[in-house]
Amino acid sequence: MRAFRVTAHDTPPSLTRMDPPQPGPGEVLVEIAACGLNFADLLMIRGQYQDTPALPFTLGMEIAGTVRGHGNGVTGPAIGTRVAVFAGQGGLAEFGVFPASRAIAIPEEMPFEDAAGFLIAYGTSHLALAHRAHLQAGERLLVLGAAGGVGLTAVEIGARMGAEVIACARGADKLAVARAAGAAHAIDSETGDIRAEVKALGGADVVYDAVGGAQFTAAMRCTNPEGRILVIGFASGEIPDIPANHLLVKNISVIGHYWGGYMQFAPQTLTDSLATLFGWYREGGLRPHIGATYSLDQAADALALLKGRKSTGKVVVTP
């Protein structure tokens, strides 16, 4: 089979031919139909992600496909079941073996492309907004990086939860995508003054920050007293310093959120969140935005699009 592999952190990943894997105890073999890319994939190439696997490894954190085999002790999902898997690695390949406990059956009406970009993006935003920040209907939600893979789902979920969503993204095209997802207001991060424009709207009660850097600082300065700032990621490449005295004076909470961690310390919380999200999808209440689809031969181009921050929604590779 073909797989897109990282063999050294100072060498670009490459497409390689290798033997298909065999499922071990507790694992399922999945024929991979689609793999959603994430910013963390770029960090893994450089060895900078907190969960970077040991070399060599196959990129691709989340996949969708069909179960084709069971390892010892596995009773389900049944062979032939359409599943989505938060794999952590191994997704940019034609086949992969993954823990059966992570394979989640997907609705029959859900295309593989939607499923491959669903778990991390929607799961991150729903758990962050509902469980960590306790977003309430009528509150004002500022989303930084609002047209990106996770940011766009935060706009969509925030609007569904009844918040007044302010989308911040780069350029008119990206802001149009965010408005279509439910944003009530739009700020161009290149030309606009985030602090001034949000304050003119009444300030932010919750901030969803997948960008970091200067945008975090601007957002903190327009957060209302008792506001909550969700730290999701650092797409800007700059991790902000947080002045604790500002938090004290305004009674602001800064909340870290790593969706994958819930698999270790609170898996039921994650499972309940995903059940809610799949229910919303079945009702037609969620509309995943796939900004670009590439073949496995084009995996390097897909990652370049993500790295250049030129994509909207999810970038998906279809082996």
mmCIF file of all heavy atoms in Angstrom, residues 16-61:
data_model
loop_
_atom_site.group_PDB
_atom_site.id
_atom_site.type_symbol
_atom_site.label_atom_id
_atom_site.label_comp_id
_atom_site.label_asym_id
_atom_site.label_seq_id
_atom_site.Cartn_x
_atom_site.Cartn_y
_atom_site.Cartn_z
ATOM 1 N N THR A 16 5.429 6.593 0.299
ATOM 2 C CA THR A 16 6.221 5.367 0.380
ATOM 3 C C THR A 16 5.328 4.157 0.148
ATOM 4 O O THR A 16 4.148 4.171 0.505
ATOM 5 C CB THR A 16 6.867 5.249 1.782
ATOM 6 O OG1 THR A 16 7.650 6.410 2.034
ATOM 7 C CG2 THR A 16 7.736 4.008 1.892
ATOM 8 N N ARG A 17 5.901 3.114 -0.442
ATOM 9 C CA ARG A 17 5.186 1.837 -0.547
ATOM 10 C C ARG A 17 5.629 0.925 0.594
ATOM 11 O O ARG A 17 6.819 0.806 0.872
ATOM 12 C CB ARG A 17 5.444 1.169 -1.895
ATOM 13 C CG ARG A 17 4.710 1.856 -3.039
ATOM 14 C CD ARG A 17 4.569 0.968 -4.259
ATOM 15 N NE ARG A 17 3.698 1.570 -5.258
ATOM 16 C CZ ARG A 17 2.374 1.442 -5.284
ATOM 17 N NH1 ARG A 17 1.785 0.717 -4.339
ATOM 18 N NH2 ARG A 17 1.658 2.010 -6.226
ATOM 19 N N MET A 18 4.665 0.293 1.245
ATOM 20 C CA MET A 18 4.957 -0.582 2.370
ATOM 21 C C MET A 18 3.880 -1.665 2.453
ATOM 22 O O MET A 18 2.822 -1.558 1.812
ATOM 23 C CB MET A 18 5.017 0.219 3.676
ATOM 24 C CG MET A 18 3.748 0.993 3.993
ATOM 25 S SD MET A 18 3.919 2.111 5.396
ATOM 26 C CE MET A 18 4.168 0.933 6.735
ATOM 27 N N ASP A 19 4.150 -2.704 3.239
ATOM 28 C CA ASP A 19 3.170 -3.766 3.408
ATOM 29 C C ASP A 19 1.978 -3.233 4.210
ATOM 30 O O ASP A 19 2.160 -2.460 5.165
ATOM 31 C CB ASP A 19 3.782 -4.947 4.152
ATOM 32 C CG ASP A 19 4.824 -5.666 3.313
ATOM 33 O OD1 ASP A 19 4.723 -5.594 2.066
ATOM 34 O OD2 ASP A 19 5.728 -6.294 3.901
ATOM 35 N N PRO A 20 0.758 -3.639 3.869
ATOM 36 C CA PRO A 20 -0.398 -3.247 4.676
ATOM 37 C C PRO A 20 -0.244 -3.750 6.108
ATOM 38 O O PRO A 20 0.286 -4.846 6.343
ATOM 39 C CB PRO A 20 -1.577 -3.930 3.977
ATOM 40 C CG PRO A 20 -1.094 -4.194 2.582
ATOM 41 C CD PRO A 20 0.370 -4.460 2.707
ATOM 42 N N PRO A 21 -0.682 -2.969 7.095
ATOM 43 C CA PRO A 21 -0.557 -3.400 8.486
ATOM 44 C C PRO A 21 -1.566 -4.495 8.817
ATOM 45 O O PRO A 21 -2.585 -4.656 8.143
ATOM 46 C CB PRO A 21 -0.866 -2.120 9.275
ATOM 47 C CG PRO A 21 -1.799 -1.354 8.366
ATOM 48 C CD PRO A 21 -1.333 -1.646 6.967
ATOM 49 N N GLN A 22 -1.276 -5.251 9.854
ATOM 50 C CA GLN A 22 -2.173 -6.289 10.346
ATOM 51 C C GLN A 22 -2.677 -5.891 11.738
ATOM 52 O O GLN A 22 -1.886 -5.460 12.583
ATOM 53 C CB GLN A 22 -1.461 -7.638 10.410
ATOM 54 C CG GLN A 22 -0.958 -8.137 9.059
ATOM 55 C CD GLN A 22 -2.081 -8.308 8.059
ATOM 56 O OE1 GLN A 22 -3.122 -8.884 8.378
ATOM 57 N NE2 GLN A 22 -1.891 -7.799 6.835
ATOM 58 N N PRO A 23 -3.978 -6.030 11.982
ATOM 59 C CA PRO A 23 -4.507 -5.593 13.291
ATOM 60 C C PRO A 23 -4.038 -6.506 14.412
ATOM 61 O O PRO A 23 -4.072 -7.734 14.296
ATOM 62 C CB PRO A 23 -6.020 -5.688 13.096
ATOM 63 C CG PRO A 23 -6.209 -6.697 12.000
ATOM 64 C CD PRO A 23 -5.026 -6.536 11.096
ATOM 65 N N GLY A 24 -3.586 -5.891 15.496
ATOM 66 C CA GLY A 24 -3.200 -6.639 16.681
ATOM 67 C C GLY A 24 -4.363 -6.741 17.652
ATOM 68 O O GLY A 24 -5.495 -6.340 17.348
ATOM 69 N N PRO A 25 -4.128 -7.246 18.842
ATOM 70 C CA PRO A 25 -5.202 -7.373 19.837
ATOM 71 C C PRO A 25 -5.855 -6.017 20.106
ATOM 72 O O PRO A 25 -5.170 -5.010 20.315
ATOM 73 C CB PRO A 25 -4.464 -7.886 21.079
ATOM 74 C CG PRO A 25 -3.263 -8.586 20.532
ATOM 75 C CD PRO A 25 -2.851 -7.806 19.318
ATOM 76 N N GLY A 26 -7.169 -5.997 20.069
ATOM 77 C CA GLY A 26 -7.913 -4.771 20.359
ATOM 78 C C GLY A 26 -7.960 -3.780 19.221
ATOM 79 O O GLY A 26 -8.454 -2.668 19.391
ATOM 80 N N GLU A 27 -7.457 -4.157 18.026
ATOM 81 C CA GLU A 27 -7.385 -3.226 16.903
ATOM 82 C C GLU A 27 -8.308 -3.647 15.763
ATOM 83 O O GLU A 27 -8.661 -4.813 15.625
ATOM 84 C CB GLU A 27 -5.958 -3.129 16.373
ATOM 85 C CG GLU A 27 -4.968 -2.507 17.347
ATOM 86 C CD GLU A 27 -3.568 -2.420 16.767
ATOM 87 O OE1 GLU A 27 -3.217 -3.273 15.920
ATOM 88 O OE2 GLU A 27 -2.815 -1.512 17.167
ATOM 89 N N VAL A 28 -8.659 -2.648 14.935
ATOM 90 C CA VAL A 28 -9.395 -2.907 13.703
ATOM 91 C C VAL A 28 -8.551 -2.446 12.523
ATOM 92 O O VAL A 28 -7.784 -1.485 12.628
ATOM 93 C CB VAL A 28 -10.759 -2.186 13.677
ATOM 94 C CG1 VAL A 28 -11.711 -2.798 14.678
ATOM 95 C CG2 VAL A 28 -10.603 -0.688 13.918
ATOM 96 N N LEU A 29 -8.692 -3.153 11.410
ATOM 97 C CA LEU A 29 -8.089 -2.745 10.148
ATOM 98 C C LEU A 29 -9.126 -1.943 9.384
ATOM 99 O O LEU A 29 -10.257 -2.405 9.200
ATOM 100 C CB LEU A 29 -7.673 -3.964 9.332
ATOM 101 C CG LEU A 29 -7.190 -3.698 7.895
ATOM 102 C CD1 LEU A 29 -5.861 -2.954 7.900
ATOM 103 C CD2 LEU A 29 -7.075 -5.012 7.118
ATOM 104 N N VAL A 30 -8.751 -0.729 8.953
ATOM 105 C CA VAL A 30 -9.679 0.151 8.251
ATOM 106 C C VAL A 30 -9.127 0.467 6.864
ATOM 107 O O VAL A 30 -7.951 0.847 6.724
ATOM 108 C CB VAL A 30 -9.905 1.466 9.027
ATOM 109 C CG1 VAL A 30 -10.838 2.394 8.252
ATOM 110 C CG2 VAL A 30 -10.488 1.178 10.409
ATOM 111 N N GLU A 31 -9.959 0.285 5.853
ATOM 112 C CA GLU A 31 -9.648 0.787 4.525
ATOM 113 C C GLU A 31 -10.002 2.272 4.521
ATOM 114 O O GLU A 31 -11.166 2.636 4.694
ATOM 115 C CB GLU A 31 -10.444 0.049 3.464
ATOM 116 C CG GLU A 31 -10.127 0.504 2.050
ATOM 117 C CD GLU A 31 -10.890 -0.250 0.984
ATOM 118 O OE1 GLU A 31 -11.684 -1.156 1.332
ATOM 119 O OE2 GLU A 31 -10.707 0.073 -0.210
ATOM 120 N N ILE A 32 -8.998 3.118 4.372
ATOM 121 C CA ILE A 32 -9.168 4.557 4.583
ATOM 122 C C ILE A 32 -9.719 5.219 3.319
ATOM 123 O O ILE A 32 -9.133 5.115 2.245
ATOM 124 C CB ILE A 32 -7.831 5.204 5.002
ATOM 125 C CG1 ILE A 32 -7.351 4.592 6.325
ATOM 126 C CG2 ILE A 32 -7.985 6.721 5.134
ATOM 127 C CD1 ILE A 32 -5.927 4.977 6.698
ATOM 128 N N ALA A 33 -10.847 5.895 3.474
ATOM 129 C CA ALA A 33 -11.481 6.596 2.357
ATOM 130 C C ALA A 33 -11.149 8.080 2.359
ATOM 131 O O ALA A 33 -11.111 8.717 1.309
ATOM 132 C CB ALA A 33 -12.989 6.404 2.409
ATOM 133 N N ALA A 34 -10.904 8.642 3.542
ATOM 134 C CA ALA A 34 -10.618 10.078 3.641
ATOM 135 C C ALA A 34 -9.860 10.347 4.928
ATOM 136 O O ALA A 34 -10.077 9.683 5.947
ATOM 137 C CB ALA A 34 -11.906 10.894 3.601
ATOM 138 N N CYS A 35 -8.965 11.330 4.875
ATOM 139 C CA CYS A 35 -8.173 11.746 6.044
ATOM 140 C C CYS A 35 -8.230 13.257 6.152
ATOM 141 O O CYS A 35 -7.894 13.967 5.206
ATOM 142 C CB CYS A 35 -6.726 11.278 5.896
ATOM 143 S SG CYS A 35 -5.634 11.833 7.231
ATOM 144 N N GLY A 36 -8.675 13.759 7.286
ATOM 145 C CA GLY A 36 -8.713 15.196 7.520
ATOM 146 C C GLY A 36 -7.376 15.695 8.042
ATOM 147 O O GLY A 36 -6.787 15.087 8.945
ATOM 148 N N LEU A 37 -6.880 16.790 7.465
ATOM 149 C CA LEU A 37 -5.621 17.369 7.923
ATOM 150 C C LEU A 37 -5.867 18.363 9.051
ATOM 151 O O LEU A 37 -6.917 18.986 9.138
ATOM 152 C CB LEU A 37 -4.901 18.062 6.764
ATOM 153 C CG LEU A 37 -4.492 17.182 5.586
ATOM 154 C CD1 LEU A 37 -3.637 17.985 4.608
ATOM 155 C CD2 LEU A 37 -3.741 15.935 6.052
ATOM 156 N N ASN A 38 -4.859 18.505 9.905
ATOM 157 C CA ASN A 38 -4.924 19.412 11.047
ATOM 158 C C ASN A 38 -3.602 20.150 11.191
ATOM 159 O O ASN A 38 -2.554 19.665 10.748
ATOM 160 C CB ASN A 38 -5.214 18.625 12.331
ATOM 161 C CG ASN A 38 -6.599 18.013 12.331
ATOM 162 O OD1 ASN A 38 -7.565 18.651 12.703
ATOM 163 N ND2 ASN A 38 -6.695 16.753 11.905
ATOM 164 N N PHE A 39 -3.646 21.310 11.836
ATOM 165 C CA PHE A 39 -2.427 22.078 12.069
ATOM 166 C C PHE A 39 -1.392 21.248 12.822
ATOM 167 O O PHE A 39 -0.186 21.392 12.601
ATOM 168 C CB PHE A 39 -2.756 23.358 12.846
ATOM 169 C CG PHE A 39 -1.598 24.308 12.969
ATOM 170 C CD1 PHE A 39 -1.195 25.080 11.885
ATOM 171 C CD2 PHE A 39 -0.909 24.428 14.159
ATOM 172 C CE1 PHE A 39 -0.121 25.954 11.998
ATOM 173 C CE2 PHE A 39 0.174 25.288 14.276
ATOM 174 C CZ PHE A 39 0.566 26.067 13.193
ATOM 175 N N ALA A 40 -1.875 20.342 13.669
ATOM 176 C CA ALA A 40 -0.947 19.495 14.423
ATOM 177 C C ALA A 40 -0.098 18.623 13.510
ATOM 178 O O ALA A 40 1.028 18.263 13.863
ATOM 179 C CB ALA A 40 -1.720 18.624 15.408
ATOM 180 N N ASP A 41 -0.614 18.267 12.325
ATOM 181 C CA ASP A 41 0.190 17.479 11.388
ATOM 182 C C ASP A 41 1.458 18.232 10.995
ATOM 183 O O ASP A 41 2.533 17.640 10.842
ATOM 184 C CB ASP A 41 -0.624 17.148 10.133
ATOM 185 C CG ASP A 41 -1.748 16.162 10.404
ATOM 186 O OD1 ASP A 41 -1.467 15.122 11.021
ATOM 187 O OD2 ASP A 41 -2.889 16.436 10.000
ATOM 188 N N LEU A 42 1.337 19.546 10.810
ATOM 189 C CA LEU A 42 2.498 20.362 10.457
ATOM 190 C C LEU A 42 3.518 20.380 11.594
ATOM 191 O O LEU A 42 4.729 20.338 11.358
ATOM 192 C CB LEU A 42 2.050 21.787 10.126
ATOM 193 C CG LEU A 42 1.070 21.936 8.957
ATOM 194 C CD1 LEU A 42 0.610 23.390 8.840
ATOM 195 C CD2 LEU A 42 1.701 21.471 7.655
ATOM 196 N N LEU A 43 3.022 20.426 12.829
ATOM 197 C CA LEU A 43 3.927 20.415 13.980
ATOM 198 C C LEU A 43 4.625 19.061 14.115
ATOM 199 O O LEU A 43 5.803 18.990 14.472
ATOM 200 C CB LEU A 43 3.149 20.734 15.257
ATOM 201 C CG LEU A 43 2.490 22.115 15.320
ATOM 202 C CD1 LEU A 43 1.727 22.274 16.633
ATOM 203 C CD2 LEU A 43 3.524 23.230 15.183
ATOM 204 N N MET A 44 3.901 17.986 13.820
ATOM 205 C CA MET A 44 4.502 16.652 13.909
ATOM 206 C C MET A 44 5.650 16.483 12.936
ATOM 207 O O MET A 44 6.652 15.822 13.253
ATOM 208 C CB MET A 44 3.442 15.580 13.618
ATOM 209 C CG MET A 44 2.497 15.303 14.748
ATOM 210 S SD MET A 44 1.488 13.851 14.334
ATOM 211 C CE MET A 44 0.312 13.902 15.685
ATOM 212 N N ILE A 45 5.534 17.053 11.738
ATOM 213 C CA ILE A 45 6.612 16.945 10.753
ATOM 214 C C ILE A 45 7.912 17.483 11.333
ATOM 215 O O ILE A 45 8.991 16.929 11.116
ATOM 216 C CB ILE A 45 6.229 17.705 9.464
ATOM 217 C CG1 ILE A 45 5.061 17.005 8.751
ATOM 218 C CG2 ILE A 45 7.428 17.807 8.516
ATOM 219 C CD1 ILE A 45 4.486 17.797 7.597
ATOM 220 N N ARG A 46 7.804 18.556 12.127
ATOM 221 C CA ARG A 46 8.991 19.180 12.738
ATOM 222 C C ARG A 46 9.318 18.619 14.119
ATOM 223 O O ARG A 46 10.263 19.069 14.760
ATOM 224 C CB ARG A 46 8.789 20.694 12.824
ATOM 225 C CG ARG A 46 8.482 21.354 11.487
ATOM 226 C CD ARG A 46 8.618 22.860 11.574
ATOM 227 N NE ARG A 46 7.704 23.467 12.524
ATOM 228 C CZ ARG A 46 6.495 23.938 12.229
ATOM 229 N NH1 ARG A 46 6.038 23.848 10.979
ATOM 230 N NH2 ARG A 46 5.726 24.492 13.145
ATOM 231 N N GLY A 47 8.490 17.695 14.608
ATOM 232 C CA GLY A 47 8.716 17.129 15.938
ATOM 233 C C GLY A 47 8.341 18.067 17.057
ATOM 234 O O GLY A 47 8.831 17.938 18.177
ATOM 235 N N GLN A 48 7.414 19.002 16.792
ATOM 236 C CA GLN A 48 7.081 20.039 17.763
ATOM 237 C C GLN A 48 5.718 19.845 18.421
ATOM 238 O O GLN A 48 5.308 20.663 19.232
ATOM 239 C CB GLN A 48 7.140 21.412 17.090
ATOM 240 C CG GLN A 48 8.524 21.785 16.602
ATOM 241 C CD GLN A 48 8.551 23.085 15.812
ATOM 242 O OE1 GLN A 48 7.511 23.607 15.410
ATOM 243 N NE2 GLN A 48 9.733 23.608 15.567
ATOM 244 N N TYR A 49 5.000 18.775 18.072
ATOM 245 C CA TYR A 49 3.686 18.545 18.667
ATOM 246 C C TYR A 49 3.847 17.732 19.941
ATOM 247 O O TYR A 49 4.739 16.882 20.044
ATOM 248 C CB TYR A 49 2.791 17.800 17.666
ATOM 249 C CG TYR A 49 1.353 17.693 18.098
ATOM 250 C CD1 TYR A 49 0.592 18.817 18.365
ATOM 251 C CD2 TYR A 49 0.738 16.439 18.231
ATOM 252 C CE1 TYR A 49 -0.730 18.721 18.749
ATOM 253 C CE2 TYR A 49 -0.591 16.328 18.612
ATOM 254 C CZ TYR A 49 -1.316 17.473 18.869
ATOM 255 O OH TYR A 49 -2.633 17.374 19.251
ATOM 256 N N GLN A 50 2.955 17.982 20.923
ATOM 257 C CA GLN A 50 3.109 17.313 22.221
ATOM 258 C C GLN A 50 2.955 15.806 22.127
ATOM 259 O O GLN A 50 3.468 15.061 22.970
ATOM 260 C CB GLN A 50 2.092 17.877 23.238
ATOM 261 C CG GLN A 50 0.626 17.716 22.860
ATOM 262 C CD GLN A 50 0.064 18.966 22.237
ATOM 263 O OE1 GLN A 50 0.787 19.736 21.615
ATOM 264 N NE2 GLN A 50 -1.235 19.187 22.409
ATOM 265 N N ASP A 51 2.238 15.322 21.098
ATOM 266 C CA ASP A 51 2.055 13.879 20.931
ATOM 267 C C ASP A 51 2.692 13.376 19.633
ATOM 268 O O ASP A 51 2.154 12.468 18.979
ATOM 269 C CB ASP A 51 0.556 13.539 20.932
ATOM 270 C CG ASP A 51 -0.066 13.665 22.316
ATOM 271 O OD1 ASP A 51 0.679 13.502 23.305
ATOM 272 O OD2 ASP A 51 -1.275 13.922 22.417
ATOM 273 N N THR A 52 3.831 13.923 19.263
ATOM 274 C CA THR A 52 4.517 13.448 18.058
ATOM 275 C C THR A 52 4.960 11.998 18.243
ATOM 276 O O THR A 52 5.641 11.671 19.216
ATOM 277 C CB THR A 52 5.753 14.317 17.755
ATOM 278 O OG1 THR A 52 5.336 15.659 17.498
ATOM 279 C CG2 THR A 52 6.486 13.788 16.523
ATOM 280 N N PRO A 53 4.587 11.093 17.311
ATOM 281 C CA PRO A 53 4.992 9.691 17.439
ATOM 282 C C PRO A 53 6.501 9.526 17.218
ATOM 283 O O PRO A 53 7.173 10.404 16.672
ATOM 284 C CB PRO A 53 4.206 8.987 16.326
ATOM 285 C CG PRO A 53 3.145 9.959 15.898
ATOM 286 C CD PRO A 53 3.714 11.321 16.150
ATOM 287 N N ALA A 54 7.000 8.373 17.608
ATOM 288 C CA ALA A 54 8.398 8.042 17.338
ATOM 289 C C ALA A 54 8.579 7.823 15.835
ATOM 290 O O ALA A 54 7.688 7.311 15.151
ATOM 291 C CB ALA A 54 8.795 6.788 18.109
ATOM 292 N N LEU A 55 9.742 8.207 15.322
ATOM 293 C CA LEU A 55 10.068 8.023 13.910
ATOM 294 C C LEU A 55 10.331 6.546 13.613
ATOM 295 O O LEU A 55 10.853 5.831 14.470
ATOM 296 C CB LEU A 55 11.308 8.842 13.550
ATOM 297 C CG LEU A 55 11.164 10.357 13.624
ATOM 298 C CD1 LEU A 55 12.531 11.021 13.530
ATOM 299 C CD2 LEU A 55 10.260 10.868 12.500
ATOM 300 N N PRO A 56 10.034 6.094 12.384
ATOM 301 C CA PRO A 56 9.248 6.767 11.356
ATOM 302 C C PRO A 56 7.758 6.574 11.628
ATOM 303 O O PRO A 56 7.375 5.635 12.341
ATOM 304 C CB PRO A 56 9.672 6.046 10.080
ATOM 305 C CG PRO A 56 9.954 4.644 10.544
ATOM 306 C CD PRO A 56 10.533 4.782 11.934
ATOM 307 N N PHE A 57 6.912 7.435 11.067
ATOM 308 C CA PHE A 57 5.473 7.279 11.261
ATOM 309 C C PHE A 57 4.726 7.852 10.062
ATOM 310 O O PHE A 57 5.273 8.624 9.270
ATOM 311 C CB PHE A 57 5.016 7.957 12.549
ATOM 312 C CG PHE A 57 5.178 9.464 12.569
ATOM 313 C CD1 PHE A 57 4.138 10.300 12.148
ATOM 314 C CD2 PHE A 57 6.354 10.054 13.012
ATOM 315 C CE1 PHE A 57 4.277 11.681 12.169
ATOM 316 C CE2 PHE A 57 6.504 11.432 13.035
ATOM 317 C CZ PHE A 57 5.467 12.251 12.614
ATOM 318 N N THR A 58 3.476 7.459 9.940
ATOM 319 C CA THR A 58 2.598 7.940 8.878
ATOM 320 C C THR A 58 1.758 9.078 9.411
ATOM 321 O O THR A 58 1.138 8.955 10.478
ATOM 322 C CB THR A 58 1.687 6.810 8.366
ATOM 323 O OG1 THR A 58 2.500 5.761 7.847
ATOM 324 C CG2 THR A 58 0.757 7.305 7.272
ATOM 325 N N LEU A 59 1.751 10.203 8.703
ATOM 326 C CA LEU A 59 0.950 11.358 9.109
ATOM 327 C C LEU A 59 -0.549 11.062 9.000
ATOM 328 O O LEU A 59 -0.965 10.118 8.337
ATOM 329 C CB LEU A 59 1.282 12.560 8.223
ATOM 330 C CG LEU A 59 2.534 13.362 8.550
ATOM 331 C CD1 LEU A 59 2.791 14.376 7.438
ATOM 332 C CD2 LEU A 59 2.385 14.078 9.888
ATOM 333 N N GLY A 60 -1.355 11.929 9.605
ATOM 334 C CA GLY A 60 -2.802 11.856 9.476
ATOM 335 C C GLY A 60 -3.465 11.482 10.779
ATOM 336 O O GLY A 60 -3.462 10.323 11.184
ATOM 337 N N MET A 61 -4.090 12.471 11.455
ATOM 338 C CA MET A 61 -4.630 12.256 12.790
ATOM 339 C C MET A 61 -6.048 11.707 12.802
ATOM 340 O O MET A 61 -6.438 11.043 13.764
ATOM 341 C CB MET A 61 -4.615 13.578 13.575
ATOM 342 C CG MET A 61 -3.236 14.148 13.808
ATOM 343 S SD MET A 61 -3.287 15.663 14.770
ATOM 344 C CE MET A 61 -3.869 15.055 16.349
#
